[in-house]
Amino acid sequence: MNEKIKMANELAIDRLLKARPVLLDIKKAGDVIPGLDKTTILHAGPPIKWQDMSGPLKGAVAGGLIYEGLATDFETASELAMSGDIKFDSCHHHGAVGPMAGVITSSMPVWVVKNETFGNYSYCTLNEGLGKVLRYGAFSSDVMAKLKWMETKLAPVLKAALKLSGPIELKPMIAQVLQMGDEGHNRNKAGTSLFIREMAPFIVRTDFTDDEKSKVLSFIHSNDHFFLNLTMPACKCTMDPLSGIAYSTIVHTMARNGTEFGIRIAALGDRWFTAPAQVVEGLFFTGFTKDDANPDIGDSVICETAGIGGFAMASALSIVQFVGGTTADALNYTRSMYEITACENNAYKIPMLAFKGTPTGIDLLKVIETTILPIINTGIAHKLPGIGQVGAGLVRPPKKCFEDALEAFVEMIEKEGGN
C-alpha cells in the first residue's frame, strides 16, 4: 500500500507542477459557470444552508440578491433566502472560487482562466478593494453602485483590453511577484502593479473614452488586492486535476464558509471533511477588536493549497506589518510547511531561502504524523452582516478535518482489501 500511495502522490504532484493557468477572458458568470442560473447563489467554502450561515455570508448573499434585483433590502433578501426558492452551492462545485464570502451571482463579471495543460477552467469575480465591500458581507447602496460600475464599465474595458493583448500566462506573473515581496494571498501589491503594467498599453488602445479608461486604471491602482482574484482561479485550476487520483493523500482543496472549514483529499474526490472554523489571530483596524471578528471565511486559502500565500511568507517579510508577528515568524512559517508537503515548487521560488521552491502539495499523512497544521494568512470579516473587513491575520485549519479525512482514507483502503 505504501508504494501505491507513493506512486499516486507522485502523479498528483506531477499534475500540480505541470499546471499552466492562463487568463483568457472576462464573461458574465451565468453565461460561463456551469449550473449557475438567476436563482442560484455560489458561496465560499463547503456547502452550507442559509440558517447556518455566518453574518458576513448572510450579508453577502443579501447583497447578491439585491444586486440581481430579486430583493430590495436585507429583510426581503432574508425572506427570499429562507423561502426555498434560492439554491445555494459551494463555488468549488462549479469550478469557481471567491474571496471571503465568495458570493457569485449570474450577472456578475468573472475572470475566465484555463489550465492549458489539462484543459480545465476556473472562474472568479473581480476584486472590489478593501473596507466596506460585498465579499466581507456589506450590501449598502454604495457597495451596489460600485458592483454595477464594475459590471458596466470596469469589466467591459478590461475585456476589450484582453482581446487586444491575447491570453496572459499567470504562472510566470505569480512566480515574479514572489521575487518582488508578495506571497500571493494577503499581499498583492507587486502582482497588481505587474498586472497594470501588462494591461495599460492595451487599455489605452480600446475605444472607450479617456475618462472611462482613466477611471479603470485609477481603480486598479487604488486596490492593492486586485491581483488576488487572479491568483485564486490560477490556483483553483491548478489543483482541480488532482481530484480522484486513487490512493493519493494530497490535499486538493481547503476552503471555509465562515462557519466551517473544509478540506478535500485527492483519493477521496469531492468529499468534504469539515469542522468549526477558527477565529483569526491578527491586527485589527482602528475601532475594532477580536470580539468583532467572524470565524475564518473564504476560498482564498486555495493559494496555500497550491503552495503560495502563508506557505510563501518568507517571500513577503513586510506582510507581518499587516497580519502581525515578526519577520523571523514569517521565515519560520515557511520553513515549517516543508514538513507537511510533498515537494518544493519548481516555479515559485523564495529569494530569502536561496531561491528554494515554496513548500507545495500538502500531504494528509504528514500533517497527521507531524501534527503541524497548514499556516494561512487572511483577512478578517466583522461577524455582523453589512459592516465589512475589520482586520487581517493568521489562522490554521481545525485538526479534526485531517483526522476525519485520514479515517475515511483508511476505511476506503480496508474496503478494497488493501495492505
Side-chain angles (χ1 to χ4, degrees), residues 98-306:
M100 302 311 289
V103 162
I104 303 176
T105 63
S106 64
S107 298
M108 293 179 178
V110 291
W111 297 111
V112 179
V113 177
K114 182 180 182 183
N115 181 343
E116 290 286 0
T117 306
F118 298 102
N120 59 298
Y121 290 83
S122 60
Y123 314 95
C124 187
T125 53
L126 282 60
N127 195 284
E128 311 159 69
L130 291 175
K132 201 173 182 180
V133 289
L134 184 79
R135 71 179 188 278
Y136 281 95
F139 52 83
S140 57
S141 58
D142 52 334
V143 174
M144 293 298 111
K146 182 191 284 187
L147 288 174
K148 283 298 178 186
W149 176 80
M150 292 173 68
E151 176 190 336
T152 59
K153 297 297 181 185
L154 176 66
V157 170
L158 290 175
K159 183 180 178 70
L162 271 172
K163 189 174 181 180
L164 292 171
S165 74
I168 296 176
E169 298 272 356
L170 291 175
K171 182 179 274 188
M173 289 185 73
I174 296 171
Q176 182 64 29
V177 306
L178 297 187
Q179 313 293 310
M180 299 169 65
D182 283 359
E183 40 68 74
H185 181 171
N186 222 354
R187 180 179 165 85
N188 297 281
K189 196 175 185 70
T192 299
S193 300
L194 281 183
F195 186 71
I196 290 177
R197 179 173 158 174
E198 189 79 25
M199 295 302 296
F202 301 100
I203 288 175
V204 299
R205 287 171 51 193
T206 64
D207 294 330
F208 293 88
T209 67
D210 288 346
D211 182 61
E212 289 169 330
K213 289 182 278 192
S214 174
K215 285 179 178 174
V216 165
L217 287 169
S218 296
F219 177 78
I220 301 173
H221 173 65
S222 67
N223 177 7
D224 285 345
H225 284 293
F226 195 77
F227 193 64
L228 171 63
N229 290 43
L230 286 165
T231 57
M232 287 178 60
C235 292
K236 170 64 175 170
C237 71
T238 292
M239 300 308 297
D240 274 356
L242 276 64
S243 177
I245 298 177
Y247 302 109
S248 174
T249 55
I250 300 299
V251 176
H252 73 81
T253 306
M254 295 196 293
R256 51 281 208 244
N257 56 33
T259 301
E260 290 185 312
F261 195 112
I263 69 170
R264 300 191 295 185
I265 308 299
L268 300 169
D270 292 336
R271 180 177 172 184
W272 290 95
F273 298 92
T274 64
Q278 313 285 314
V279 173
V280 181
E281 297 285 344
L283 301 178
F284 289 85
F285 299 161
T286 302
F288 297 103
T289 70
K290 189 174 180 179
D291 291 339
D292 298 305
N294 192 78
D296 194 18
I297 184 170
D299 284 335
S300 52
V301 68
I302 192 66
C303 298
E304 279 79 3
T305 317

Side-chain angles (χ1 to χ4, degrees), residues 393-406:
L394 296 160
V395 68
R396 296 182 190 265
K399 186 179 179 183
K400 187 175 187 301
C401 297
F402 295 89
E403 293 174 337
D404 289 350
L406 177 65

Side-chain angles (χ1 to χ4, degrees), residues 12-80:
I13 293 303
D14 184 64
R15 290 185 185 178
L16 194 164
L17 296 181
K18 284 183 177 174
R20 190 180 146 217
V22 176
L23 173 61
L24 297 181
D25 203 349
I26 295 175
K27 291 189 175 181
K28 183 179 173 183
D31 292 340
V32 69
I33 296 180
L36 178 59
D37 57 28
K38 187 78 172 177
T39 57
T40 298
I41 291 189
L42 305 184
H43 60 78
I48 187 170
K49 297 176 182 177
W50 167 261
Q51 57 267 34
D52 298 323
M53 290 181 186
S54 62
L57 183 49
K58 283 186 173 178
V61 166
L65 292 172
I66 295 169
Y67 177 79
E68 292 294 336
L70 299 174
T72 55
D73 52 30
F74 186 78
E75 286 69 30
T76 56
S78 300
E79 291 173 5
L80 181 58

